[in-house]
Each structure stands twice: as structure tokens, then as C-alpha cells.
Amino acid sequence: MPYTRRQVLVGAAAVSLASLFKVDVVAQPKPTRIILLGTKGGPSVGKSGRSNPATLILINDIPYLIDCGYGVSRQLISAGVSLDRVRYIFITHHHLDHDLEYGTLFYNAWVTGRPIHVDAYGPVGLQKMTQDFFSYAKFDIETRMVDEGRPDPRQMISVHEFEQAGLVMQYDDVKVTSCRVRHPPITQSYAYRFDARDRSVAISGDTAYAPELAEFAKGADVLVHEVMYLPAIEKLIKQLPNATRLREHLMAAHTLPEDVGRMAARAEVKTLVLSHLVPGDDPSITDEQWSEGVREYFKGRVVVGKDLMEI
Ligand SMILES: [Zn+2]
Ligand SMILES: [Zn+2]
């Protein structure tokens, strides 16, 4: 029996509704996730179980990696992110606890054998550091290109370095901006802010108390901020021959819990996450000790960061 005009129209409407629904399901953005990969400040490799600094933000399931401390490749895998998925890297500054595994992570992504492309962003010096890594790895890379038929990894990374704060990158899913912070004697030290459609996240990098960071992080859903706990530091460094110098550096370049609390309150963020803990290898410091100074000034949610914790 031939279809009536009405049946045809109803059928067409059903088909187009189904295809609309399908498109909608496919295009639905995934919620933004934050995973702390390494929460220990400083370059030493300890036995606390805390890895060196790195933070992962998954925006619509695309990884944005902030800093590449030692162990970052392993931590990414532990967080369920295969290394060929590494796509965007942001370096806050060139203290090596933040980029010791930068080149190695890229290499590890390359040797997966799957197609990769990495865009790396960071302060001036990143281009040279990338080239220097390729010099370090030249023998292996060129051997494998000839012997194993691999593509040239030097074509698979784009480096974007900057000397001033401002817009870092922007596209549909996210806008990334930077703010220069106070980390003497390093002048090129930056915080980053990620404004995704569903969530905004600011990452302090390494800094002493910096009012401009409060403006930069204003109203963010999450602020991941460094912190140091002075009583434990004093206990730790008193035996060292350079104790006085080291204490001066730490006080000038990092933030005590009370000041982290002032920062979070001034920035009016919803959640404050403590990461880059200094000292990061002293298991006797309780979560309460890390956060009690913070809570004197900040009444929002405080999370004491631990490796592989998701916020
Ligand atoms: Zn650091
Ligand atoms: Zn630093």
C-alpha cells in the first residue's frame, strides 16, 4: 500500500529527530576534570609517594598538562591517559622540578608509535630547551628513524614561548591566559588560568604571595596553589650548611599557608587545592597542619592535594 503524505511526513520527522538526537549525544562536551599528577614541590626524588610537580586538566577529554616534573609519564599512565594522547603542555617556569621530564615525556609519546602532535607553551627558554633535548636524544632518534622507519619527532612538536603575561591560546573549548608571578630570582615565572565552558581553573605555579594573582584567579571554580609549611622546613634545613640562604630563598619565593588562605579569599574562588607541597617528603605533616593556617582566612572548600586525586 502506498504511504499517505502524512505517514511520509511523520516518518521524515522521526528520522530527523533521531539524527538530531544522535548529533546532540556525539557533540555533548565532556565535563572538565582536574587530576593532580605530582604534588611534591622541589626537585628531590623522595620516598613519600608524592611525585614531582605536574597537574592535568582534561577539557572535553583532551589532556592539558601543566608542568612536567620527574615521573610525569608514569603518573599520566596511572591517571589513565595513554602517552600518545598528550596534546598541550604548559610550563610555568624553568626550575627543573617543573620541566625535568618535558623532553622525555614527548619522547615517550613518540615511541608509542601512534600519531602525535604536541603544542608546548612556556616562558622564554622553552625553544632552546626543546632543541637541547633533541640534541641529547639525537643518536637514538636518528637511529630509530632509519632502522625502524619512524617519523621525525622534531616535526611533531610546536613550541610557543612568551616573555609577557596575557592570552596563551584560545579555541572553542577553552581560553588559556597567563599571569606573571613572584618567584625570585626567576622573573619568567607564570600562573595559568583555564576558562573552559563548564569550569575555570587557575594554577599558581611557584610564587610568593602576589596580589596580582588574586585578580587573575578572581572567581575561578578551582585554584590550585603552592604552599610551604615553615615549622617542618626549619626542622629539615637546620642541619644544612646553606640553611640561611635556603630559608631566605624559600621565604622570598614561596607562600605560607596563611597567605595562601588570604589569596584564595581575595580571589573568591570556590575550591582551593594545595599542591606543590614543601616539604613534600615529610609524612608526619597532617592534612590539618597543611590547611589550618589557610582556614583562618579562607572559608571555602580546601583540599590538601595528593597524587592522582581528582577534583
Ligand atoms: Zn617548584
Ligand atoms: Zn620554582
Side-chain angles (χ1 to χ4, degrees):
M1 195 175 82
Y3 292 116
T4 63
R5 182 175 155 73
R6 183 176 157 73
Q7 278 172 319
V8 171
L9 284 176
V10 167
V15 168
S16 86
L17 270 177
S19 59
L20 265 178
F21 182 70
K22 194 175 169 200
V23 166
D24 193 37
V25 167
V26 170
Q28 189 71 41
K30 300 243 173 47
T32 296
R33 303 168 62 197
I34 305 162
I35 302 174
L36 308 177
L37 298 180
T39 56
K40 183 172 93 83
S44 69
V45 177
K47 52 185 179 183
S48 65
R50 288 187 190 275
S51 194
N52 298 95
T55 306
L56 174 68
I57 307 178
L58 288 158
I59 299 171
N60 206 7
D61 217 25
I62 305 286
Y64 294 71
L65 180 62
I66 302 95
D67 287 330
C68 296
Y70 180 74
V72 68
S73 304
R74 179 65 57 197
Q75 291 298 85
L76 275 170
I77 291 168
S78 298
V81 176
S82 57
L83 300 183
D84 59 304
R85 290 178 58 201
V86 170
R87 181 69 187 87
Y88 298 107
I89 293 175
F90 302 84
I91 300 295
T92 57
H93 66 298
H94 297 306
H95 264 146
L96 269 188
D97 52 323
H98 297 257
D99 48 16
L100 188 59
E101 202 167 312
Y102 161 68
T104 310
L105 171 64
F106 175 75
Y107 175 87
N108 290 340
W110 177 63
V111 292
T112 62
R114 290 186 283 273
I116 57 162
H117 190 85
V118 170
D119 281 279
Y121 300 83
V124 62
L126 190 61
Q127 186 74 54
K128 170 92 166 55
M129 186 173 265
T130 310
Q131 286 160 359
D132 288 349
F133 176 76
F134 285 130
S135 301
Y136 176 91
K138 188 176 187 331
F139 175 81
D140 176 279
I141 286 170
E142 292 181 357
T143 302
R144 289 185 198 281
M145 283 169 62
V146 174
D147 187 37
E148 302 172 12
R150 291 179 185 269
D152 188 342
R154 292 163 289 207
Q155 310 300 321
M156 299 163 93
I157 184 165
S158 306
V159 178
H160 314 265
E161 61 176 33
F162 50 84
E163 273 183 281
Q164 282 178 349
L167 181 66
V168 177
M169 64 163 325
Q170 181 169 24
Y171 73 111
D172 281 358
D173 275 350
V174 65
K175 177 180 170 189
V176 185
T177 46
S178 69
C179 167
R180 198 186 291 205
V181 288
R182 303 183 185 192
H183 192 47
I186 295 175
T187 55
Q188 289 287 314
S189 188
Y190 291 89
Y192 289 104
R193 177 175 175 138
F194 296 76
D195 285 288
R197 289 166 186 267
D198 61 331
R199 224 172 172 198
S200 50
V201 186
I203 312 270
S204 73
D206 283 12
T207 184
Y209 182 75
E212 56 276 25
L213 179 60
E215 283 311 304
F216 177 71
K218 197 88 180 177
D221 294 306
V222 178
L223 169 63
V224 180
H225 202 292
E226 70 130 83
V227 65
M228 66 172 174
Y229 184 64
L230 198 56
I233 289 167
E234 288 186 324
K235 194 174 80 184
L236 203 67
I237 69 174
K238 71 174 181 224
Q239 309 295 349
L240 298 176
N242 60 337
T244 310
R245 253 329 254 290
L246 195 54
R247 191 181 189 284
E248 278 169 16
H249 159 76
L250 289 167
M251 292 304 286
H254 294 282
T255 313
L256 295 171
E258 291 75 11
D259 282 338
V260 179
R262 282 193 194 99
M263 172 63 57
R266 195 164 167 168
E268 299 173 342
V269 297
K270 294 196 184 80
T271 297
L272 170 67
V273 179
L274 304 178
S275 191
H276 196 284
L277 307 181
V278 176
D281 270 328
D282 185 346
S284 73
I285 312 171
T286 62
D287 284 4
E288 186 51 35
Q289 285 172 310
W290 282 114
S291 57
E292 65 185 350
V294 172
R295 288 187 210 279
E296 284 175 35
Y297 296 92
F298 178 64
K299 303 303 171 199
R301 177 182 173 223
V302 180
V303 176
V304 180
K306 297 185 178 58
D307 285 16
L308 301 177
M309 181 184 260
E310 179 168 349
I311 294 111

